[in-house]
Amino acid sequence: MKVKHALGALPFIGMLGGVAFVNRVEPYVLGMPFVLFWIVMWVVLTSLIMLAVNKLDQSDGKGEKL
Amino acid sequence: MNPALVILFLFLALSLYLGIRAQRGKDMNMEQWTVGGRGFGSVFIFLLVAGEIYTTFTFLGGSGWAYSKGAPAYYVLAYISLAYVLSYWLLPPIWRYAKEHRLVSQSDFFVSKYNSPVLGILVSTVGVLAIIPYLVLQFKGLGIIVSEASYGMIAPTAAVWIGVLAVTIYVMISGIHGSAWTAVIKDIMIFFVVVFLGLFLPYHYYGGIQPMFEAVDAAKPGFLIFPAEGMSISWFVSTVLLTVFGFYMWPHTFGSVFSAKNEKVFRKNTVVLPLYTLMLLFVFFVGFTAILQVPGLQGAEGDLSLLRLSMRTFDPWVVGLIGAAGLLTALVPGSMLLMTAATLLAKNVIHVFVPASSEERIGRIAKGLVPVLSLICLYYTLSGGEALVTLLLMGYSLVTQLFPALLFSLPARPLVNKYGAFAGIACGVLTVVYVTVAEVTIGTLFPALPAFIKDINVGVIALLINVAVMGAVHVLTARLTASGTRAAAAEKSPTI
């Protein structure tokens, strides 16, 4: 398993696996219930992770210059 | 004249103009009409993929789910983001193969990979069965949005007729080029409207986003988290995974992949598209705001929460702009769905029975099918019907049944044969039909199981049956395939 595949699995683990442990309203973060904030945080992290995957591929000559 | 009405008509005229103008300077052959000559860059692919997500659901269903179901609505944010992660590895090999073999439809891919026109007919049938109710949903949404935003001055029936006519004209003339150009104006509109509503309304009524959530939590304790039973955490996880698998299996989404000019487009878009998903967060904010401000909307009425709250808050010209954005969320995905259904039927069903047809003739048939499909959808939109609601509920589960066969086809030589692929899809689809019509859940099948297993989306069972049958039939027919291929090669006859 390459590093980029492990990175690709991270959003699945964080978003789906994590929700079971954070299913509560408080503390509010950025005005949102904690469980909603958790999902939103992982949406943003997904974007950053895919940027990293692109960069890794770019070094292999396969990715897009961003 | 009502300013909302003027704004609605201006945007309808603008989208029709852009849709027709899009074909200028292009020889609108089959490849141009369906996949834009495979020349779309990152921006158009972004708009087409995003445009297919931000449908009337964004306006009506997203806020409606937040209003009536609470936390389970969060699943939409999760599955769309994760589908983009999957697309990084899934779409490039599909695009490469499609470009090499000049494919224009989803069924083409299955036909070519498994060397089976009959499998193409099955895939087309599943696709069209899923598309028609989805298209009707867009038209119904269009009727509701225009009628509400015009303060009832335009009846839903008239709104649907006008919308369907506009879409039919620009799909016939410009194909995917029309969809791409109207997507430009739609996405600009919806971005500003949704972000404005999602921030303004909570601040206007509660003084902020957190006070709004605190008020909802006080009025409806437990509404903002996943319940212990029903739409629980295990429902969330299983539903997200199923919809991630099904996301690119919709024929119109799959088809839009073919229109990219290179495979880097998909990789680049995986960075930006998840962030674009956050627009739905603002739609949820509107739905949650409406809970205490326009209480009492029952069942499907919850889908009107965004429009009702907007009409209560703003002047008609602002409501007109909101309605115009909603109108565009029906037109763009509607045009893609219409074009895809026509292409599937012309290329992968009619062409199989009339194999001598030239590509030019198939193109003419596809364009001719557009008004026919429009009229069928118009009939169902205006007459309603329970069968259609059932089909719509099945839509996502139906297209998800194509995922295992697609996945197994990605290696240079498919991991299962065409008999296995056909049997797996057929059994998966039949299981989906049974569990939907009989209203079966894992809980009703196995009542003694613990709640976290009973809450798992029943679509998982259909997918498991699909894969099991696919594997079993592949093993049982492995020798048949080998001898059949040899015989076909000897006789130079086509395989089924």
Side-chain angles (χ1 to χ4, degrees):
Chain A
M1 193 182 196
K2 293 180 179 175
V3 173
K4 62 181 181 182
H5 294 127
L7 282 173
L10 263 182
F12 285 85
I13 296 164
M15 205 165 328
L16 302 181
V19 163
F21 302 99
V22 297
N23 189 27
R24 55 178 183 269
V25 172
E26 292 187 329
Y28 285 93
V29 183
L30 298 176
M32 292 178 277
F34 194 67
V35 63
L36 177 57
F37 164 74
W38 180 265
I39 292 169
V40 169
M41 177 187 76
W42 271 102
V43 171
V44 177
L45 284 176
T46 297
S47 191
L48 294 172
I49 286 167
M50 294 319 290
L51 181 65
V53 171
N54 261 287
K55 291 285 184 191
L56 280 172
D57 253 351
Q58 201 181 313
S59 61
D60 294 344
K62 283 171 68 182
E64 173 63 83
K65 286 188 178 178
L66 297 164
Chain B
M1 196 178 194
N2 187 324
L5 204 58
V6 175
I7 290 169
L8 281 169
F9 271 110
L10 278 175
F11 274 93
L12 179 70
L14 181 61
S15 62
L16 189 59
Y17 167 73
L18 282 174
I20 293 171
R21 188 182 171 278
Q23 58 88 44
R24 190 178 291 181
K26 295 177 187 71
D27 172 24
M28 205 50 70
N29 58 27
M30 189 71 176
E31 195 170 42
Q32 276 290 355
W33 193 72
T34 52
V35 294
R38 300 179 211 280
F40 287 176
S42 297
V43 174
F44 269 156
I45 292 293
F46 175 94
L47 288 170
L48 283 175
V49 172
E52 287 152 16
I53 295 156
Y54 297 108
T55 67
T56 49
F57 171 82
T58 316
F59 251 55
L60 304 177
S63 52
W65 260 60
Y67 180 93
S68 56
K69 296 184 192 300
Y74 306 159
Y75 98 94
V76 183
L77 279 176
Y79 94 78
I80 296 178
S81 305
L82 294 178
Y84 295 141
V85 176
L86 184 68
S87 77
Y88 188 92
W89 286 276
L90 184 69
L91 300 189
I94 291 173
W95 179 86
R96 277 197 300 271
Y97 187 84
K99 183 178 170 62
E100 190 183 334
H101 294 82
R102 299 196 64 200
L103 310 179
V104 298
S105 74
Q106 181 188 43
S107 295
D108 279 354
F109 187 87
F110 284 85
V111 169
S112 182
K113 271 285 186 179
Y114 286 102
N115 189 24
S116 171
V118 174
L119 183 61
I121 293 175
L122 176 67
V123 171
S124 297
T125 306
V126 172
V128 172
L129 274 179
I131 277 180
I132 295 289
Y134 197 23
L135 195 48
V136 169
L137 177 76
Q138 301 308 316
F139 292 154
K140 272 184 189 288
L142 184 148
I144 292 168
I145 289 167
V146 173
S147 175
E148 290 274 333
S150 67
Y151 294 83
M153 289 179 74
I154 303 178
T157 303
V160 170
W161 268 103
I162 295 166
V164 169
L165 197 63
V167 168
T168 304
I169 290 169
Y170 83 68
V171 167
M172 285 183 74
I173 293 173
S174 302
I176 198 169
H177 290 282
S179 303
W181 276 102
T182 44
V184 173
I185 180 174
K186 187 207 79 168
D187 277 55
I188 293 169
M189 275 285 286
I190 199 168
F191 177 80
F192 286 107
V193 165
V194 161
V195 172
F196 167 72
L197 290 178
L199 292 176
F200 179 85
L201 291 171
Y203 276 89
H204 178 71
Y205 284 106
Y206 297 95
I209 291 166
Q210 185 169 330
M212 176 266 290
F213 277 121
E214 286 171 339
V216 170
D217 191 46
K220 302 178 86 166
F223 194 67
L224 300 175
I225 59 171
F226 292 98
E229 290 187 5
M231 288 178 156
S232 63
I233 298 285
S234 59
W235 170 87
F236 169 78
V237 173
S238 57
T239 303
V240 167
L241 283 175
L242 277 173
T243 38
V244 166
F245 296 153
F247 188 87
Y248 282 101
M249 295 303 103
W250 281 96
H252 60 297
T253 314
F254 199 100
S256 69
V257 169
F258 296 169
S259 63
K261 67 179 176 188
N262 60 49
E263 61 187 83
K264 290 175 182 174
V265 164
F266 310 118
R267 296 197 172 109
K268 203 171 172 179
N269 275 343
T270 58
V271 178
V272 190
L273 277 166
L275 293 177
Y276 202 59
T277 308
L278 291 178
M279 276 219 300
L280 285 168
L281 185 64
F282 296 98
V283 176
F284 293 159
F285 288 170
V286 177
F288 285 124
T289 302
I291 290 171
L292 301 179
Q293 300 306 323
V294 279
L297 298 176
Q298 297 297 322
E301 270 196 323
D303 291 346
L304 296 174
S305 57
L306 183 146
L307 288 170
R308 292 280 164 86
L309 186 60
S310 299
M311 290 168 75
R312 215 187 93 165
T313 312
F314 300 114
D315 290 339
W317 69 271
V318 181
V319 173
L321 282 174
I322 295 166
L327 170 80
L328 292 168
T329 63
L331 293 183
V332 177
S335 65
M336 284 294 289
L337 290 162
L338 199 53
M339 188 193 70
T340 305
T343 304
L344 282 175
L345 289 173
K347 185 90 175 19
N348 302 106
V349 179
I350 294 172
H351 190 38
V352 172
F353 295 107
V354 192
S357 307
S358 65
E359 189 185 284
E360 191 185 355
R361 192 177 170 201
I362 290 295
R364 280 204 305 272
I365 292 171
K367 288 174 189 174
L369 280 169
V370 170
V372 175
L373 286 166
S374 290
L375 285 172
I376 291 170
C377 291
L378 195 65
Y379 169 76
Y380 281 117
T381 304
L382 301 178
S383 67
E386 279 302 306
L388 210 72
V389 176
T390 309
L391 268 176
L392 186 63
L393 288 172
M394 288 192 280
Y396 232 108
S397 301
L398 284 175
V399 294
T400 304
Q401 300 311 312
L402 303 176
F403 184 72
L406 174 85
L407 203 61
F408 293 142
S409 78
L410 290 181
R413 187 176 170 170
L415 299 176
V416 295
N417 61 28
K418 59 191 171 189
Y419 304 108
F422 189 99
I425 293 170
C427 288
V429 165
L430 289 174
T431 307
V432 167
V433 172
Y434 170 71
V435 298
T436 309
V437 173
E439 296 184 352
V440 168
T441 66
I442 292 179
T444 58
L445 288 172
F446 309 105
L449 289 173
F452 77 92
I453 295 178
K454 285 198 287 189
D455 292 341
I456 289 174
N457 191 313
V458 73
V460 170
I461 289 184
L463 210 57
L464 290 175
I465 288 174
N466 181 334
V467 174
V469 169
M470 192 176 293
V473 171
H474 167 72
V475 170
L476 290 171
T477 58
R479 289 182 62 190
L480 181 65
T481 313
S483 59
T485 306
R486 277 198 298 274
E491 295 171 19
K492 294 192 182 332
S493 62
T495 53
I496 64 158

